[in-house]
Amino acid sequence: MAVKKTELYSSLWASCDALRGGMDASQYKDYVLTLLFMKYVTDKYKGRRFAEIKVFDKANDDEQDPDKRTGCSFDDFVALKGNKNIGEGMDKIIARMTSANPSLKNIIDNVHFNDEAKLGKGKEMQDKLTTLVSIFERPELDFKKNKASGDDIIGDAYEYLMKNFATQSGKSKGQFYTPAEVSRILAKVIGLGDCEKKDVEVCDPACGSGSLLIRAVDEAKHGATGWGQEKDVSTAGLAKMNAVLHNQSTVAIRPGNTFSDPQYLESVDGREILKRFDFVVANPPFSMKNWTDGVKGKEYDRFDGYGAEPPEKNGDYAWLLHILKILKDDGKAAVILPHGVLFRGNAEATIRQSIIDRGWIKGIISLPANLFYGTGIPACVLVLDKENAENREGVFMIDASRDFVKDGNKNRLRERDVYKIVTTFNEQITTDEKYARFVPMEEIKEKNGYNLNITRYIDSSAPEDLQSIDGHLYGGIPSADVDALETYWDTFDGLKGELFSEMRPGFLRLNFEKGEIRSRIEANAAYAAYRGKVGAAFGRWRENVDGSLRSITEDTVPKALIRTLSDELLTNFAPLTLLDKYDIYEVLLSYWNETMADDTAMIVDGGYLVGRETEDIKEIQKSGKHKGEEKIVGWEGTLIPKAVIAEIFYPEERAAVEKAEQHLRDEEAALEEYIEANGEDDNILQDCKNDNGKIDSKLVAAKMKDTKGKKGQEDDYKILSEYDKREKRVKGARKLLNEKRSELEGKCLARYPKLTEDEIKELLTNHKWYVAVKSGIDERYTAVSHRLTTRVTELAERYENTLPELEKMVESDEEKVRRHLERMGFKW
């Protein structure tokens, strides 16, 4: 059975525990990722050629034929488990892999498994590596059955590990990982998906672990060739492995310093020049201080013709000019740089003016701060386009700096944020000038002196909430504040009149107590009718996508499917302007990433009946049994959760479980209340507590025996006896619940392998997928009333009392305090 992506991620990250302690994440990532690479190519392509990769297996051992030699697969790692020379043996296996595949030289052999300094000596190394190899033998890391195209489960797992390594590493974390959300933006805003050219060439001159370059290549409409360069040799190896694991092993990755030793050159008229590309994407190191080292004599005309050279102690513009140099005359690029490039002066101002005058800057996207590993400073995306640059009339600017969610100690772009940026830029949407504007060249050059600081052009701050002195003095809610909520009043006909009435010219009063605001809003007929419109829009979407979701085959491309689902959702919800379409998009995409993507990949790999085979059921039954027991506890269906099976097929048994759960809660509450009521310090129950402060039933039984029938201890016995009865009722309720649960789970498990394909499709769509998406959308609509309630309540409270009334209240309180102090003997 194919593995779920979430289970794969969990297992891979758990495998890192075997190496933690001896080295930090920037080092142990090399070991884990090398093993991941070896396991993947062994499972998928053992005994045959996979692009550049040859993996040999013992069945083909032939000393006379070098193309059939042994010792080049993960299986050979397994054979070394428990061997005292396991580290040395693993290094030899990797050496044979690079010998058979020269393109992997200096890529997978950068890590040494026979390193005592990192892995310990003797038995410590033996045990550690044996454990690590065993972890990668787990069934959930078997990639033989994963065949879903376009989903790149192993490549995505690689990126998952890179993200976690970046989070854990104490070093320059950003050097080997660009957040996937940011990579997707760059790949989409440069037009790769719309380019009609065949086999375009894409370059990333600071490729790190390669994710940005790979994503860009994957975006190309008619295929693309990728070229990457990375200064750090180890990270360049990660990039090459990443490319292979994404089925893009022809992507060229070369180590070397891009400034002093550019790797991609071509000869023109006997002169070496930098190779030029159709597209460039890059997330170079911010503000490099030593970029000029070794560059003299190797400038390749990169820095000429701009009126100044980039500062020696800041490489931001050096990267920008390098990218412009390697772009073809109609080339396009997207590069991530710190905000300082938009407004810094001196030499950078001169270069910036020259670039603007040439019309090469098509757009600027301001990103939130603290997105990147290794730095918390805000960054921007410069979108460059040489095609028709001489006719460019302005620069399209987006301020997306406020759209993010907190994720641990970092910020993260949500699906809605990525989609909003990409669609706004590609469609040049300017309906919200607090988010995006097309800024004319005249405004940039003449009014702002070539300063591109986003805040000069877009004011994304929230409007100031002004207070009315008149309202505070004489009472009433200002009509202007209420009128500012016109979107709600236009949508919910009559609601404004239900909530407010005129108090005096220009000021309103609330028609009822402020505690009733929410209930009055939700009782409004137009509000209820709009909820019906939301339900109808969802119904149309469900009707339009149902056929696609019930006809997933091995030819289905999950990424194409989710595009269809999301486009259809946005189309149906577009007329409902009160709901933010990006919020609706987020509901679907979040659920897709959490659940539906896994489900779809499983169906592509094994059909709708995946997980129902006898072998899989046995695994479920085996995992559901506790040691020494025959209870079936803890199992879960591959596609259909047991909760859904219980709801549809066994409603009576499910109700019995719920009743038993409530009964247990009642008995536990009764016992707790009894303990509290009889819990004085000198109470006999206090003598029955163990070292953890809990009442021990064995101590209670012993005390009951000691006090039974003894004169003067009748009350103690009575208390203990009552406690014992109540505790036995709790145990009985718990036993009954376990029996009911076991009965239900047994029936569900017995029913699971009997589900037909039609039943699975029905349960999966109508009782799992649609329920989850509809619930998320309903929550977004409920939030509409919450926002309106919050604002109306805020206004009501703000002007609830006039200033004279407040002064009287203060005087009254002061008088109360004065009298109280006098009674205490103080004069005031």
Side-chain angles (χ1 to χ4, degrees), residues 155 423 443 668 738 776 791:
T423 54
E443 185 176 346
E668 287 176 334
N738 288 337
R791 180 56 176 167

Side-chain angles (χ1 to χ4, degrees), residues 76-97:
D76 298 286
F77 284 167
V78 175
L80 288 171
K81 287 197 311 178
N83 190 305
K84 66 180 181 179
N85 296 318
I86 184 172
E88 180 183 358
M90 292 175 73
D91 283 345
K92 289 180 179 179
I93 292 167
I94 291 176
R96 286 194 287 270
M97 171 67 94

Side-chain angles (χ1 to χ4, degrees), residues 463-468 478 481 791 798-799:
E464 188 176 359
D465 190 9
L466 299 175
Q467 304 249 357
S468 169
D481 285 339
R791 180 56 176 167
R798 178 179 296 172
Y799 300 103

Side-chain angles (χ1 to χ4, degrees), residues 459-505:
D459 178 12
S460 61
S461 61
E464 188 176 359
D465 190 9
L466 299 175
Q467 304 249 357
S468 169
I469 296 176
D470 194 318
H472 284 301
L473 286 173
Y474 305 110
I477 301 171
S479 299
D481 285 339
V482 175
D483 291 342
L485 301 170
E486 60 181 341
T487 302
Y488 296 102
W489 314 138
D490 291 343
T491 305
F492 304 139
D493 185 44
L495 179 58
K496 180 181 176 182
E498 292 178 19
L499 298 179
F500 303 99
S501 58
E502 186 176 38
M503 177 179 178
R504 57 192 177 90

Side-chain angles (χ1 to χ4, degrees), residues 373-628:
Y373 300 91
T375 179
I377 66 173
C380 63
V381 178
L382 288 186
V383 184
L384 310 170
D385 190 352
K386 288 187 176 181
E387 188 174 16
N388 297 321
E390 64 278 7
N391 299 320
R392 186 153 286 124
E393 297 179 352
V395 176
F396 193 83
M397 298 186 182
I398 294 177
D399 185 356
S401 61
R402 296 175 180 272
D403 292 347
F404 62 89
V405 66
K406 292 293 294 181
D407 187 3
N409 62 353
K410 304 299 293 181
N411 295 331
R412 176 175 56 82
L413 295 174
R414 297 160 293 185
E415 291 291 341
R416 72 180 306 283
D417 304 325
V418 174
Y419 180 80
K420 186 176 182 180
I421 290 171
V422 171
T423 54
T424 299
F425 188 88
N426 288 344
E427 298 175 21
Q428 303 281 285
I429 299 171
T430 57
T431 51
D432 181 2
E433 289 203 346
K434 284 187 168 293
Y435 184 77
R437 280 188 64 208
F438 180 80
V439 182
M441 285 297 186
E442 177 185 347
E443 185 176 346
I444 293 171
K445 296 177 181 180
E446 298 179 11
K447 293 184 179 181
N448 289 285
Y450 291 88
N451 187 315
L452 293 174
N453 195 343
I454 292 286
T455 57
R456 287 176 174 246
Y457 306 97
I458 299 176
D459 178 12
S460 61
S461 61
E464 188 176 359
D465 190 9
L466 299 175
Q467 304 249 357
S468 169
I469 296 176
D470 194 318
H472 284 301
L473 286 173
Y474 305 110
I477 301 171
S479 299
D481 285 339
V482 175
D483 291 342
L485 301 170
E486 60 181 341
T487 302
Y488 296 102
W489 314 138
D490 291 343
T491 305
F492 304 139
D493 185 44
L495 179 58
K496 180 181 176 182
E498 292 178 19
L499 298 179
F500 303 99
S501 58
E502 186 176 38
M503 177 179 178
R504 57 192 177 90
F507 292 86
L508 306 172
R509 67 163 55 89
L510 194 63
N511 289 335
F512 38 78
E513 294 297 321
K514 61 187 179 184
E516 300 179 42
I517 293 174
R518 175 168 295 170
S519 61
R520 294 293 184 114
I521 290 173
E522 294 180 350
N524 175 263
Y527 178 86
Y530 204 85
R531 183 181 289 279
K533 292 180 181 179
V534 173
F538 179 81
R540 289 192 297 272
W541 172 75
R542 181 174 61 183
E543 182 179 352
N544 292 339
V545 302
D546 196 69
S548 298
L549 294 177
R550 292 173 185 259
S551 57
I552 298 170
T553 68
E554 62 180 5
D555 297 323
T556 298
V557 178
K559 290 180 180 179
L561 176 61
I562 186 55
R563 280 197 297 270
T564 299
L565 299 179
S566 57
D567 288 347
E568 190 67 43
L569 189 72
L570 289 167
T571 297
N572 282 282
F573 277 86
L576 302 181
T577 55
L578 199 60
L579 288 175
D580 188 331
K581 68 176 181 179
Y582 301 112
D583 282 342
I584 301 302
Y585 181 86
E586 176 71 18
V587 169
L588 175 60
L589 267 291
S590 292
Y591 185 63
W592 173 266
N593 291 332
E594 292 166 5
T595 302
M596 282 187 73
D598 265 349
D599 291 347
T600 302
M602 300 291 283
I603 296 169
V604 170
D605 285 333
Y608 289 91
L609 298 178
V610 63
R612 258 203 28 178
E613 291 80 359
T614 303
E615 183 179 326
D616 297 322
I617 294 297
K618 286 181 178 178
E619 282 297 317
I620 289 174
Q621 291 173 323
K622 182 179 178 182
S623 65
K625 291 180 182 178
H626 293 303
K627 189 174 181 180

Side-chain angles (χ1 to χ4, degrees), residues 664-811:
L664 175 60
R665 286 194 293 268
D666 292 341
E667 293 295 348
E668 287 176 334
L671 178 61
E672 196 62 36
E673 288 174 6
Y674 183 77
I675 294 172
E676 291 179 4
N678 296 273
E680 297 85 358
D681 291 340
D682 58 350
N683 191 287
I684 187 66
L685 287 178
Q686 299 298 318
D687 297 334
C688 298
K689 288 186 177 181
N690 56 26
D691 294 339
N692 295 325
K694 302 290 185 182
I695 296 176
D696 189 324
S697 58
K698 291 182 179 178
L699 292 176
V700 171
K703 292 287 184 183
M704 285 177 63
K705 185 176 181 180
D706 290 342
T707 58
K708 185 176 181 180
K710 291 187 178 180
K711 191 174 183 181
Q713 296 187 8
E714 293 86 355
D715 288 343
D716 286 346
Y717 179 77
K718 184 177 179 181
I719 290 172
L720 292 168
S721 179
E722 182 62 26
Y723 174 87
D724 184 59
K725 291 176 183 177
R726 290 174 183 260
E727 186 188 36
K728 286 178 178 177
R729 286 203 292 268
V730 169
K731 291 179 178 178
R734 187 174 292 118
K735 180 181 179 182
L736 176 63
L737 175 59
N738 288 337
E739 289 173 353
K740 294 298 182 183
R741 281 177 174 171
S742 183
E743 178 186 357
L744 176 59
E745 295 211 10
K747 288 185 176 182
C748 289
L749 182 56
R751 187 70 175 80
Y752 180 66
K754 298 176 182 178
L755 292 172
T756 66
E757 184 166 322
D758 286 341
E759 285 176 332
I760 288 176
K761 289 179 179 179
E762 174 65 17
L763 296 175
L764 189 62
T765 54
N766 280 330
H767 299 279
K768 182 182 177 182
W769 290 345
Y770 294 151
V771 167
V773 177
K774 182 62 163 57
S775 176
I777 293 173
D778 286 344
E779 287 179 7
R780 296 305 192 276
Y781 184 60
T782 300
V784 170
S785 75
H786 289 181
R787 288 193 294 270
L788 181 56
T789 298
T790 300
R791 180 56 176 167
V792 173
T793 302
E794 181 182 42
L795 292 173
E797 291 177 343
R798 178 179 296 172
Y799 300 103
E800 191 170 12
N801 300 107
T802 64
L803 183 58
E805 289 172 342
L806 291 172
E807 288 175 340
K808 287 183 180 180
M809 291 168 62
V810 170
E811 290 175 0

